Amino acid sequence: MYMDKETQAYFKEVLIKRLDELYAEAERTVAGMTDAEETFPDPTDRATLESDRNFMLRIRDRERKLILKIREALQRIDDGSFGICESCGDEIGRERLEARPVTTLCIECKRKQEAGERARGA
Ligand SMILES: [Zn+2]
């Protein structure tokens, strides 16, 4: 076992807390948009707003991506692959996970990926 239950529980808590914050933030965004559209009251639209899919469509792109990443990270904690680099299979360092718990790459693979991106961009 690469990561003990205590560490997994710790990161799960960190991720859930971040998810809660994002949902609260996104809800404010959606609420703001709803207020702006109050000249077109449509009870059907309002009802479907409650659904997760519509909610996800209405929130900002950055928030949506982060929410999905956090959900994936929580999924990885459940299936035991959290903290393992998806590229080389090595453990991702604790320090890196602390800084960026949604990461799927170890620092070495991340550097290589970024170097590749820069090369393609040039
Ligand atoms: Zn790696």
Side-chain angles (χ1 to χ4, degrees), residues 11-28 52 55-56 59 62-75 101-102:
F11 279 112
K12 195 165 186 171
E13 208 169 286
V14 167
L15 286 161
I16 288 171
K17 192 164 174 284
R18 187 74 190 101
L19 197 58
D20 279 347
E21 285 166 6
L22 268 169
Y23 269 115
E25 199 182 312
E27 262 164 26
R28 280 196 296 275
D52 184 61
F55 177 74
M56 291 298 278
I59 61 177
R62 183 187 67 86
E63 287 165 346
R64 184 165 50 233
K65 279 179 187 158
L66 251 170
I67 286 173
L68 290 175
K69 273 188 176 178
I70 292 171
R71 282 183 181 171
E72 283 165 13
L74 284 165
Q75 188 64 51
V102 297

PDB file of all heavy atoms in Angstrom, residues 11-28 52 55-56 59 62-75 101-102:
ATOM      1  N   PHE A  11      -6.528  13.558   2.435  1.00  0.00           N
ATOM      2  CA  PHE A  11      -6.700  14.174   1.120  1.00  0.00           C
ATOM      3  C   PHE A  11      -8.171  14.189   0.695  1.00  0.00           C
ATOM      4  O   PHE A  11      -8.610  15.099   0.002  1.00  0.00           O
ATOM      5  CB  PHE A  11      -5.820  13.484   0.074  1.00  0.00           C
ATOM      6  CG  PHE A  11      -4.396  13.973   0.113  1.00  0.00           C
ATOM      7  CD1 PHE A  11      -3.369  13.153   0.531  1.00  0.00           C
ATOM      8  CD2 PHE A  11      -4.100  15.280  -0.240  1.00  0.00           C
ATOM      9  CE1 PHE A  11      -2.059  13.610   0.592  1.00  0.00           C
ATOM     10  CE2 PHE A  11      -2.799  15.756  -0.185  1.00  0.00           C
ATOM     11  CZ  PHE A  11      -1.776  14.914   0.238  1.00  0.00           C
ATOM     12  N   LYS A  12      -8.901  13.174   1.113  1.00  0.00           N
ATOM     13  CA  LYS A  12     -10.328  13.141   0.812  1.00  0.00           C
ATOM     14  C   LYS A  12     -11.012  14.360   1.442  1.00  0.00           C
ATOM     15  O   LYS A  12     -11.825  15.036   0.806  1.00  0.00           O
ATOM     16  CB  LYS A  12     -10.941  11.844   1.359  1.00  0.00           C
ATOM     17  CG  LYS A  12     -12.304  11.543   0.791  1.00  0.00           C
ATOM     18  CD  LYS A  12     -12.696  10.107   1.080  1.00  0.00           C
ATOM     19  CE  LYS A  12     -14.007   9.778   0.383  1.00  0.00           C
ATOM     20  NZ  LYS A  12     -14.339   8.359   0.453  1.00  0.00           N
ATOM     21  N   GLU A  13     -10.636  14.644   2.684  1.00  0.00           N
ATOM     22  CA  GLU A  13     -11.203  15.789   3.402  1.00  0.00           C
ATOM     23  C   GLU A  13     -10.846  17.100   2.698  1.00  0.00           C
ATOM     24  O   GLU A  13     -11.695  17.970   2.501  1.00  0.00           O
ATOM     25  CB  GLU A  13     -10.656  15.788   4.828  1.00  0.00           C
ATOM     26  CG  GLU A  13     -11.581  16.426   5.838  1.00  0.00           C
ATOM     27  CD  GLU A  13     -11.097  16.156   7.253  1.00  0.00           C
ATOM     28  OE1 GLU A  13     -11.254  15.010   7.734  1.00  0.00           O
ATOM     29  OE2 GLU A  13     -10.530  17.083   7.846  1.00  0.00           O
ATOM     30  N   VAL A  14      -9.567  17.216   2.296  1.00  0.00           N
ATOM     31  CA  VAL A  14      -9.090  18.413   1.601  1.00  0.00           C
ATOM     32  C   VAL A  14      -9.885  18.613   0.312  1.00  0.00           C
ATOM     33  O   VAL A  14     -10.352  19.717   0.010  1.00  0.00           O
ATOM     34  CB  VAL A  14      -7.573  18.284   1.278  1.00  0.00           C
ATOM     35  CG1 VAL A  14      -7.131  19.352   0.278  1.00  0.00           C
ATOM     36  CG2 VAL A  14      -6.755  18.391   2.560  1.00  0.00           C
ATOM     37  N   LEU A  15     -10.080  17.518  -0.440  1.00  0.00           N
ATOM     38  CA  LEU A  15     -10.765  17.602  -1.733  1.00  0.00           C
ATOM     39  C   LEU A  15     -12.248  17.926  -1.560  1.00  0.00           C
ATOM     40  O   LEU A  15     -12.806  18.731  -2.312  1.00  0.00           O
ATOM     41  CB  LEU A  15     -10.593  16.290  -2.506  1.00  0.00           C
ATOM     42  CG  LEU A  15      -9.195  16.068  -3.096  1.00  0.00           C
ATOM     43  CD1 LEU A  15      -8.964  14.607  -3.428  1.00  0.00           C
ATOM     44  CD2 LEU A  15      -8.993  16.924  -4.331  1.00  0.00           C
ATOM     45  N   ILE A  16     -12.880  17.311  -0.581  1.00  0.00           N
ATOM     46  CA  ILE A  16     -14.307  17.566  -0.352  1.00  0.00           C
ATOM     47  C   ILE A  16     -14.520  19.017   0.077  1.00  0.00           C
ATOM     48  O   ILE A  16     -15.463  19.679  -0.363  1.00  0.00           O
ATOM     49  CB  ILE A  16     -14.892  16.561   0.666  1.00  0.00           C
ATOM     50  CG1 ILE A  16     -15.012  15.183   0.004  1.00  0.00           C
ATOM     51  CG2 ILE A  16     -16.258  17.022   1.182  1.00  0.00           C
ATOM     52  CD1 ILE A  16     -15.375  14.055   0.951  1.00  0.00           C
ATOM     53  N   LYS A  17     -13.610  19.528   0.907  1.00  0.00           N
ATOM     54  CA  LYS A  17     -13.711  20.907   1.356  1.00  0.00           C
ATOM     55  C   LYS A  17     -13.598  21.853   0.166  1.00  0.00           C
ATOM     56  O   LYS A  17     -14.353  22.805   0.034  1.00  0.00           O
ATOM     57  CB  LYS A  17     -12.601  21.193   2.382  1.00  0.00           C
ATOM     58  CG  LYS A  17     -12.775  22.494   3.122  1.00  0.00           C
ATOM     59  CD  LYS A  17     -11.891  22.516   4.371  1.00  0.00           C
ATOM     60  CE  LYS A  17     -11.939  23.881   5.042  1.00  0.00           C
ATOM     61  NZ  LYS A  17     -11.129  24.905   4.305  1.00  0.00           N
ATOM     62  N   ARG A  18     -12.646  21.571  -0.708  1.00  0.00           N
ATOM     63  CA  ARG A  18     -12.436  22.392  -1.901  1.00  0.00           C
ATOM     64  C   ARG A  18     -13.662  22.324  -2.818  1.00  0.00           C
ATOM     65  O   ARG A  18     -14.065  23.320  -3.412  1.00  0.00           O
ATOM     66  CB  ARG A  18     -11.184  21.886  -2.639  1.00  0.00           C
ATOM     67  CG  ARG A  18     -10.756  22.739  -3.794  1.00  0.00           C
ATOM     68  CD  ARG A  18     -10.107  24.034  -3.319  1.00  0.00           C
ATOM     69  NE  ARG A  18      -9.900  24.959  -4.442  1.00  0.00           N
ATOM     70  CZ  ARG A  18     -10.681  25.985  -4.715  1.00  0.00           C
ATOM     71  NH1 ARG A  18     -11.708  26.271  -3.961  1.00  0.00           N
ATOM     72  NH2 ARG A  18     -10.435  26.765  -5.752  1.00  0.00           N
ATOM     73  N   LEU A  19     -14.250  21.128  -2.925  1.00  0.00           N
ATOM     74  CA  LEU A  19     -15.439  20.937  -3.747  1.00  0.00           C
ATOM     75  C   LEU A  19     -16.603  21.760  -3.199  1.00  0.00           C
ATOM     76  O   LEU A  19     -17.326  22.411  -3.955  1.00  0.00           O
ATOM     77  CB  LEU A  19     -15.793  19.447  -3.783  1.00  0.00           C
ATOM     78  CG  LEU A  19     -16.744  18.954  -4.872  1.00  0.00           C
ATOM     79  CD1 LEU A  19     -16.209  19.266  -6.258  1.00  0.00           C
ATOM     80  CD2 LEU A  19     -16.988  17.459  -4.743  1.00  0.00           C
ATOM     81  N   ASP A  20     -16.767  21.734  -1.888  1.00  0.00           N
ATOM     82  CA  ASP A  20     -17.823  22.530  -1.244  1.00  0.00           C
ATOM     83  C   ASP A  20     -17.654  24.014  -1.556  1.00  0.00           C
ATOM     84  O   ASP A  20     -18.617  24.703  -1.882  1.00  0.00           O
ATOM     85  CB  ASP A  20     -17.790  22.335   0.274  1.00  0.00           C
ATOM     86  CG  ASP A  20     -18.487  21.044   0.689  1.00  0.00           C
ATOM     87  OD1 ASP A  20     -19.190  20.460  -0.161  1.00  0.00           O
ATOM     88  OD2 ASP A  20     -18.331  20.633   1.841  1.00  0.00           O
ATOM     89  N   GLU A  21     -16.408  24.482  -1.449  1.00  0.00           N
ATOM     90  CA  GLU A  21     -16.124  25.895  -1.715  1.00  0.00           C
ATOM     91  C   GLU A  21     -16.465  26.253  -3.156  1.00  0.00           C
ATOM     92  O   GLU A  21     -17.060  27.296  -3.438  1.00  0.00           O
ATOM     93  CB  GLU A  21     -14.641  26.191  -1.459  1.00  0.00           C
ATOM     94  CG  GLU A  21     -14.273  26.256   0.010  1.00  0.00           C
ATOM     95  CD  GLU A  21     -12.765  26.220   0.229  1.00  0.00           C
ATOM     96  OE1 GLU A  21     -12.001  26.260  -0.759  1.00  0.00           O
ATOM     97  OE2 GLU A  21     -12.352  26.138   1.395  1.00  0.00           O
ATOM     98  N   LEU A  22     -16.085  25.349  -4.069  1.00  0.00           N
ATOM     99  CA  LEU A  22     -16.345  25.585  -5.491  1.00  0.00           C
ATOM    100  C   LEU A  22     -17.835  25.615  -5.786  1.00  0.00           C
ATOM    101  O   LEU A  22     -18.311  26.443  -6.560  1.00  0.00           O
ATOM    102  CB  LEU A  22     -15.694  24.488  -6.327  1.00  0.00           C
ATOM    103  CG  LEU A  22     -14.285  24.778  -6.811  1.00  0.00           C
ATOM    104  CD1 LEU A  22     -13.668  23.514  -7.376  1.00  0.00           C
ATOM    105  CD2 LEU A  22     -14.300  25.855  -7.883  1.00  0.00           C
ATOM    106  N   TYR A  23     -18.576  24.691  -5.176  1.00  0.00           N
ATOM    107  CA  TYR A  23     -20.020  24.651  -5.375  1.00  0.00           C
ATOM    108  C   TYR A  23     -20.657  25.943  -4.876  1.00  0.00           C
ATOM    109  O   TYR A  23     -21.514  26.522  -5.547  1.00  0.00           O
ATOM    110  CB  TYR A  23     -20.634  23.440  -4.668  1.00  0.00           C
ATOM    111  CG  TYR A  23     -20.726  22.218  -5.552  1.00  0.00           C
ATOM    112  CD1 TYR A  23     -20.002  21.074  -5.281  1.00  0.00           C
ATOM    113  CD2 TYR A  23     -21.565  22.227  -6.668  1.00  0.00           C
ATOM    114  CE1 TYR A  23     -20.076  19.959  -6.098  1.00  0.00           C
ATOM    115  CE2 TYR A  23     -21.651  21.115  -7.493  1.00  0.00           C
ATOM    116  CZ  TYR A  23     -20.906  19.978  -7.202  1.00  0.00           C
ATOM    117  OH  TYR A  23     -20.988  18.890  -8.005  1.00  0.00           O
ATOM    118  N   ALA A  24     -20.216  26.411  -3.708  1.00  0.00           N
ATOM    119  CA  ALA A  24     -20.758  27.647  -3.142  1.00  0.00           C
ATOM    120  C   ALA A  24     -20.465  28.812  -4.079  1.00  0.00           C
ATOM    121  O   ALA A  24     -21.338  29.641  -4.372  1.00  0.00           O
ATOM    122  CB  ALA A  24     -20.166  27.893  -1.764  1.00  0.00           C
ATOM    123  N   GLU A  25     -19.235  28.857  -4.589  1.00  0.00           N
ATOM    124  CA  GLU A  25     -18.798  29.906  -5.501  1.00  0.00           C
ATOM    125  C   GLU A  25     -19.624  29.852  -6.791  1.00  0.00           C
ATOM    126  O   GLU A  25     -20.115  30.861  -7.273  1.00  0.00           O
ATOM    127  CB  GLU A  25     -17.317  29.668  -5.817  1.00  0.00           C
ATOM    128  CG  GLU A  25     -16.572  30.853  -6.363  1.00  0.00           C
ATOM    129  CD  GLU A  25     -15.124  30.488  -6.675  1.00  0.00           C
ATOM    130  OE1 GLU A  25     -14.473  29.870  -5.796  1.00  0.00           O
ATOM    131  OE2 GLU A  25     -14.670  30.772  -7.781  1.00  0.00           O
ATOM    132  N   ALA A  26     -19.780  28.639  -7.328  1.00  0.00           N
ATOM    133  CA  ALA A  26     -20.518  28.455  -8.578  1.00  0.00           C
ATOM    134  C   ALA A  26     -21.993  28.794  -8.398  1.00  0.00           C
ATOM    135  O   ALA A  26     -22.626  29.357  -9.285  1.00  0.00           O
ATOM    136  CB  ALA A  26     -20.350  27.022  -9.067  1.00  0.00           C
ATOM    137  N   GLU A  27     -22.536  28.452  -7.242  1.00  0.00           N
ATOM    138  CA  GLU A  27     -23.939  28.760  -6.971  1.00  0.00           C
ATOM    139  C   GLU A  27     -24.183  30.259  -6.984  1.00  0.00           C
ATOM    140  O   GLU A  27     -25.204  30.724  -7.465  1.00  0.00           O
ATOM    141  CB  GLU A  27     -24.361  28.179  -5.613  1.00  0.00           C
ATOM    142  CG  GLU A  27     -25.071  26.841  -5.760  1.00  0.00           C
ATOM    143  CD  GLU A  27     -25.155  26.081  -4.454  1.00  0.00           C
ATOM    144  OE1 GLU A  27     -25.140  26.729  -3.384  1.00  0.00           O
ATOM    145  OE2 GLU A  27     -25.227  24.852  -4.509  1.00  0.00           O
ATOM    146  N   ARG A  28     -23.213  31.000  -6.442  1.00  0.00           N
ATOM    147  CA  ARG A  28     -23.333  32.466  -6.463  1.00  0.00           C
ATOM    148  C   ARG A  28     -23.315  32.967  -7.901  1.00  0.00           C
ATOM    149  O   ARG A  28     -24.058  33.865  -8.262  1.00  0.00           O
ATOM    150  CB  ARG A  28     -22.200  33.107  -5.655  1.00  0.00           C
ATOM    151  CG  ARG A  28     -22.458  33.096  -4.162  1.00  0.00           C
ATOM    152  CD  ARG A  28     -21.536  34.059  -3.432  1.00  0.00           C
ATOM    153  NE  ARG A  28     -20.133  33.682  -3.543  1.00  0.00           N
ATOM    154  CZ  ARG A  28     -19.535  32.807  -2.732  1.00  0.00           C
ATOM    155  NH1 ARG A  28     -20.203  32.240  -1.761  1.00  0.00           N
ATOM    156  NH2 ARG A  28     -18.266  32.507  -2.891  1.00  0.00           N
ATOM    157  N   ASP A  52     -28.102  18.800 -11.735  1.00  0.00           N
ATOM    158  CA  ASP A  52     -26.653  18.932 -11.745  1.00  0.00           C
ATOM    159  C   ASP A  52     -26.149  19.267 -13.143  1.00  0.00           C
ATOM    160  O   ASP A  52     -25.272  20.093 -13.318  1.00  0.00           O
ATOM    161  CB  ASP A  52     -26.031  17.630 -11.261  1.00  0.00           C
ATOM    162  CG  ASP A  52     -24.523  17.731 -11.167  1.00  0.00           C
ATOM    163  OD1 ASP A  52     -24.050  18.576 -10.387  1.00  0.00           O
ATOM    164  OD2 ASP A  52     -23.831  16.993 -11.868  1.00  0.00           O
ATOM    165  N   PHE A  55     -26.755  22.825 -13.947  1.00  0.00           N
ATOM    166  CA  PHE A  55     -25.891  23.602 -13.074  1.00  0.00           C
ATOM    167  C   PHE A  55     -24.474  23.628 -13.642  1.00  0.00           C
ATOM    168  O   PHE A  55     -23.853  24.675 -13.766  1.00  0.00           O
ATOM    169  CB  PHE A  55     -25.904  22.970 -11.670  1.00  0.00           C
ATOM    170  CG  PHE A  55     -24.987  23.636 -10.701  1.00  0.00           C
ATOM    171  CD1 PHE A  55     -25.302  24.867 -10.166  1.00  0.00           C
ATOM    172  CD2 PHE A  55     -23.814  23.013 -10.309  1.00  0.00           C
ATOM    173  CE1 PHE A  55     -24.458  25.473  -9.259  1.00  0.00           C
ATOM    174  CE2 PHE A  55     -22.971  23.612  -9.401  1.00  0.00           C
ATOM    175  CZ  PHE A  55     -23.288  24.846  -8.880  1.00  0.00           C
ATOM    176  N   MET A  56     -24.002  22.448 -14.044  1.00  0.00           N
ATOM    177  CA  MET A  56     -22.651  22.344 -14.575  1.00  0.00           C
ATOM    178  C   MET A  56     -22.500  23.127 -15.880  1.00  0.00           C
ATOM    179  O   MET A  56     -21.432  23.633 -16.186  1.00  0.00           O
ATOM    180  CB  MET A  56     -22.287  20.868 -14.805  1.00  0.00           C
ATOM    181  CG  MET A  56     -22.113  20.072 -13.522  1.00  0.00           C
ATOM    182  SD  MET A  56     -20.775  20.679 -12.465  1.00  0.00           S
ATOM    183  CE  MET A  56     -19.368  19.877 -13.258  1.00  0.00           C
ATOM    184  N   ILE A  59     -22.224  27.126 -14.932  1.00  0.00           N
ATOM    185  CA  ILE A  59     -21.121  27.699 -14.173  1.00  0.00           C
ATOM    186  C   ILE A  59     -19.952  28.006 -15.095  1.00  0.00           C
ATOM    187  O   ILE A  59     -19.905  27.519 -16.219  1.00  0.00           O
ATOM    188  CB  ILE A  59     -20.676  26.774 -13.008  1.00  0.00           C
ATOM    189  CG1 ILE A  59     -20.195  25.440 -13.550  1.00  0.00           C
ATOM    190  CG2 ILE A  59     -21.822  26.615 -12.013  1.00  0.00           C
ATOM    191  CD1 ILE A  59     -19.673  24.535 -12.466  1.00  0.00           C
ATOM    192  N   ARG A  62     -13.838  27.489 -15.824  1.00  0.00           N
ATOM    193  CA  ARG A  62     -12.761  27.213 -14.884  1.00  0.00           C
ATOM    194  C   ARG A  62     -13.283  26.417 -13.686  1.00  0.00           C
ATOM    195  O   ARG A  62     -12.663  25.468 -13.230  1.00  0.00           O
ATOM    196  CB  ARG A  62     -12.170  28.547 -14.401  1.00  0.00           C
ATOM    197  CG  ARG A  62     -10.991  28.438 -13.484  1.00  0.00           C
ATOM    198  CD  ARG A  62     -10.626  29.805 -12.947  1.00  0.00           C
ATOM    199  NE  ARG A  62     -11.657  30.336 -12.059  1.00  0.00           N
ATOM    200  CZ  ARG A  62     -11.714  30.071 -10.748  1.00  0.00           C
ATOM    201  NH1 ARG A  62     -10.806  29.313 -10.203  1.00  0.00           N
ATOM    202  NH2 ARG A  62     -12.671  30.579  -9.998  1.00  0.00           N
ATOM    203  N   GLU A  63     -14.462  26.828 -13.195  1.00  0.00           N
ATOM    204  CA  GLU A  63     -15.059  26.143 -12.042  1.00  0.00           C
ATOM    205  C   GLU A  63     -15.471  24.728 -12.415  1.00  0.00           C
ATOM    206  O   GLU A  63     -15.268  23.786 -11.657  1.00  0.00           O
ATOM    207  CB  GLU A  63     -16.281  26.917 -11.539  1.00  0.00           C
ATOM    208  CG  GLU A  63     -15.905  28.198 -10.816  1.00  0.00           C
ATOM    209  CD  GLU A  63     -17.084  29.130 -10.636  1.00  0.00           C
ATOM    210  OE1 GLU A  63     -18.125  28.924 -11.284  1.00  0.00           O
ATOM    211  OE2 GLU A  63     -16.941  30.078  -9.844  1.00  0.00           O
ATOM    212  N   ARG A  64     -16.069  24.588 -13.608  1.00  0.00           N
ATOM    213  CA  ARG A  64     -16.524  23.278 -14.063  1.00  0.00           C
ATOM    214  C   ARG A  64     -15.352  22.304 -14.177  1.00  0.00           C
ATOM    215  O   ARG A  64     -15.414  21.171 -13.707  1.00  0.00           O
ATOM    216  CB  ARG A  64     -17.239  23.414 -15.412  1.00  0.00           C
ATOM    217  CG  ARG A  64     -17.837  22.101 -15.902  1.00  0.00           C
ATOM    218  CD  ARG A  64     -18.827  22.332 -17.011  1.00  0.00           C
ATOM    219  NE  ARG A  64     -18.280  23.188 -18.060  1.00  0.00           N
ATOM    220  CZ  ARG A  64     -18.862  24.285 -18.513  1.00  0.00           C
ATOM    221  NH1 ARG A  64     -19.998  24.681 -18.018  1.00  0.00           N
ATOM    222  NH2 ARG A  64     -18.307  24.994 -19.469  1.00  0.00           N
ATOM    223  N   LYS A  65     -14.259  22.772 -14.778  1.00  0.00           N
ATOM    224  CA  LYS A  65     -13.081  21.920 -14.953  1.00  0.00           C
ATOM    225  C   LYS A  65     -12.533  21.478 -13.603  1.00  0.00           C
ATOM    226  O   LYS A  65     -12.171  20.316 -13.422  1.00  0.00           O
ATOM    227  CB  LYS A  65     -12.003  22.669 -15.742  1.00  0.00           C
ATOM    228  CG  LYS A  65     -12.257  22.628 -17.239  1.00  0.00           C
ATOM    229  CD  LYS A  65     -11.185  23.393 -17.980  1.00  0.00           C
ATOM    230  CE  LYS A  65     -11.530  23.495 -19.463  1.00  0.00           C
ATOM    231  NZ  LYS A  65     -10.851  24.615 -20.113  1.00  0.00           N
ATOM    232  N   LEU A  66     -12.476  22.437 -12.661  1.00  0.00           N
ATOM    233  CA  LEU A  66     -11.943  22.116 -11.336  1.00  0.00           C
ATOM    234  C   LEU A  66     -12.843  21.113 -10.606  1.00  0.00           C
ATOM    235  O   LEU A  66     -12.359  20.173  -9.977  1.00  0.00           O
ATOM    236  CB  LEU A  66     -11.816  23.391 -10.512  1.00  0.00           C
ATOM    237  CG  LEU A  66     -10.396  23.865 -10.270  1.00  0.00           C
ATOM    238  CD1 LEU A  66     -10.409  25.262  -9.670  1.00  0.00           C
ATOM    239  CD2 LEU A  66      -9.641  22.925  -9.351  1.00  0.00           C
ATOM    240  N   ILE A  67     -14.154  21.327 -10.704  1.00  0.00           N
ATOM    241  CA  ILE A  67     -15.098  20.414 -10.045  1.00  0.00           C
ATOM    242  C   ILE A  67     -14.918  19.002 -10.593  1.00  0.00           C
ATOM    243  O   ILE A  67     -14.837  18.038  -9.833  1.00  0.00           O
ATOM    244  CB  ILE A  67     -16.562  20.909 -10.221  1.00  0.00           C
ATOM    245  CG1 ILE A  67     -16.808  22.114  -9.306  1.00  0.00           C
ATOM    246  CG2 ILE A  67     -17.559  19.788  -9.917  1.00  0.00           C
ATOM    247  CD1 ILE A  67     -18.155  22.808  -9.507  1.00  0.00           C
ATOM    248  N   LEU A  68     -14.797  18.887 -11.922  1.00  0.00           N
ATOM    249  CA  LEU A  68     -14.607  17.571 -12.524  1.00  0.00           C
ATOM    250  C   LEU A  68     -13.287  16.948 -12.082  1.00  0.00           C
ATOM    251  O   LEU A  68     -13.227  15.758 -11.777  1.00  0.00           O
ATOM    252  CB  LEU A  68     -14.655  17.674 -14.055  1.00  0.00           C
ATOM    253  CG  LEU A  68     -16.041  17.998 -14.634  1.00  0.00           C
ATOM    254  CD1 LEU A  68     -15.960  18.211 -16.142  1.00  0.00           C
ATOM    255  CD2 LEU A  68     -17.043  16.889 -14.320  1.00  0.00           C
ATOM    256  N   LYS A  69     -12.238  17.769 -12.018  1.00  0.00           N
ATOM    257  CA  LYS A  69     -10.934  17.265 -11.585  1.00  0.00           C
ATOM    258  C   LYS A  69     -10.993  16.757 -10.151  1.00  0.00           C
ATOM    259  O   LYS A  69     -10.399  15.726  -9.825  1.00  0.00           O
ATOM    260  CB  LYS A  69      -9.878  18.376 -11.679  1.00  0.00           C
ATOM    261  CG  LYS A  69      -9.245  18.473 -13.039  1.00  0.00           C
ATOM    262  CD  LYS A  69      -8.096  19.450 -13.006  1.00  0.00           C
ATOM    263  CE  LYS A  69      -7.397  19.470 -14.364  1.00  0.00           C
ATOM    264  NZ  LYS A  69      -6.304  20.432 -14.394  1.00  0.00           N
ATOM    265  N   ILE A  70     -11.681  17.505  -9.290  1.00  0.00           N
ATOM    266  CA  ILE A  70     -11.777  17.107  -7.887  1.00  0.00           C
ATOM    267  C   ILE A  70     -12.601  15.821  -7.762  1.00  0.00           C
ATOM    268  O   ILE A  70     -12.241  14.911  -7.019  1.00  0.00           O
ATOM    269  CB  ILE A  70     -12.362  18.246  -7.029  1.00  0.00           C
ATOM    270  CG1 ILE A  70     -11.363  19.408  -6.964  1.00  0.00           C
ATOM    271  CG2 ILE A  70     -12.677  17.759  -5.613  1.00  0.00           C
ATOM    272  CD1 ILE A  70     -11.905  20.673  -6.335  1.00  0.00           C
ATOM    273  N   ARG A  71     -13.684  15.727  -8.534  1.00  0.00           N
ATOM    274  CA  ARG A  71     -14.483  14.494  -8.522  1.00  0.00           C
ATOM    275  C   ARG A  71     -13.647  13.301  -8.951  1.00  0.00           C
ATOM    276  O   ARG A  71     -13.743  12.221  -8.378  1.00  0.00           O
ATOM    277  CB  ARG A  71     -15.678  14.639  -9.466  1.00  0.00           C
ATOM    278  CG  ARG A  71     -16.807  15.459  -8.887  1.00  0.00           C
ATOM    279  CD  ARG A  71     -17.937  15.475  -9.875  1.00  0.00           C
ATOM    280  NE  ARG A  71     -19.069  16.261  -9.418  1.00  0.00           N
ATOM    281  CZ  ARG A  71     -20.112  16.552 -10.190  1.00  0.00           C
ATOM    282  NH1 ARG A  71     -20.139  16.129 -11.433  1.00  0.00           N
ATOM    283  NH2 ARG A  71     -21.113  17.253  -9.720  1.00  0.00           N
ATOM    284  N   GLU A  72     -12.828  13.516  -9.988  1.00  0.00           N
ATOM    285  CA  GLU A  72     -11.947  12.434 -10.462  1.00  0.00           C
ATOM    286  C   GLU A  72     -10.943  12.037  -9.390  1.00  0.00           C
ATOM    287  O   GLU A  72     -10.674  10.856  -9.194  1.00  0.00           O
ATOM    288  CB  GLU A  72     -11.213  12.874 -11.738  1.00  0.00           C
ATOM    289  CG  GLU A  72     -12.083  12.832 -12.985  1.00  0.00           C
ATOM    290  CD  GLU A  72     -11.477  13.600 -14.167  1.00  0.00           C
ATOM    291  OE1 GLU A  72     -10.270  13.952 -14.090  1.00  0.00           O
ATOM    292  OE2 GLU A  72     -12.206  13.863 -15.123  1.00  0.00           O
ATOM    293  N   ALA A  73     -10.394  13.056  -8.713  1.00  0.00           N
ATOM    294  CA  ALA A  73      -9.418  12.773  -7.655  1.00  0.00           C
ATOM    295  C   ALA A  73     -10.075  11.974  -6.529  1.00  0.00           C
ATOM    296  O   ALA A  73      -9.480  11.024  -5.999  1.00  0.00           O
ATOM    297  CB  ALA A  73      -8.836  14.072  -7.119  1.00  0.00           C
ATOM    298  N   LEU A  74     -11.305  12.330  -6.172  1.00  0.00           N
ATOM    299  CA  LEU A  74     -12.034  11.593  -5.126  1.00  0.00           C
ATOM    300  C   LEU A  74     -12.287  10.152  -5.589  1.00  0.00           C
ATOM    301  O   LEU A  74     -12.186   9.211  -4.793  1.00  0.00           O
ATOM    302  CB  LEU A  74     -13.358  12.290  -4.806  1.00  0.00           C
ATOM    303  CG  LEU A  74     -13.229  13.557  -3.962  1.00  0.00           C
ATOM    304  CD1 LEU A  74     -14.525  14.360  -4.000  1.00  0.00           C
ATOM    305  CD2 LEU A  74     -12.872  13.223  -2.518  1.00  0.00           C
ATOM    306  N   GLN A  75     -12.572  10.009  -6.875  1.00  0.00           N
ATOM    307  CA  GLN A  75     -12.766   8.678  -7.455  1.00  0.00           C
ATOM    308  C   GLN A  75     -11.481   7.855  -7.329  1.00  0.00           C
ATOM    309  O   GLN A  75     -11.514   6.671  -6.985  1.00  0.00           O
ATOM    310  CB  GLN A  75     -13.183   8.847  -8.927  1.00  0.00           C
ATOM    311  CG  GLN A  75     -13.610   7.564  -9.629  1.00  0.00           C
ATOM    312  CD  GLN A  75     -14.853   6.975  -9.002  1.00  0.00           C
ATOM    313  OE1 GLN A  75     -15.839   7.666  -8.812  1.00  0.00           O
ATOM    314  NE2 GLN A  75     -14.802   5.707  -8.650  1.00  0.00           N
ATOM    315  N   PRO A 101      -3.664  18.760  -4.968  1.00  0.00           N
ATOM    316  CA  PRO A 101      -4.204  17.406  -4.753  1.00  0.00           C
ATOM    317  C   PRO A 101      -4.903  16.793  -5.965  1.00  0.00           C
ATOM    318  O   PRO A 101      -5.082  15.584  -6.005  1.00  0.00           O
ATOM    319  CB  PRO A 101      -5.184  17.580  -3.579  1.00  0.00           C
ATOM    320  CG  PRO A 101      -5.377  19.039  -3.406  1.00  0.00           C
ATOM    321  CD  PRO A 101      -4.223  19.740  -4.034  1.00  0.00           C
ATOM    322  N   VAL A 102      -5.271  17.599  -6.961  1.00  0.00           N
ATOM    323  CA  VAL A 102      -5.960  17.036  -8.128  1.00  0.00           C
ATOM    324  C   VAL A 102      -4.983  16.546  -9.204  1.00  0.00           C
ATOM    325  O   VAL A 102      -5.403  15.994 -10.219  1.00  0.00           O
ATOM    326  CB  VAL A 102      -6.951  18.039  -8.781  1.00  0.00           C
ATOM    327  CG1 VAL A 102      -8.059  18.410  -7.809  1.00  0.00           C
ATOM    328  CG2 VAL A 102      -6.237  19.271  -9.287  1.00  0.00           C
TER     329      VAL A 102
END
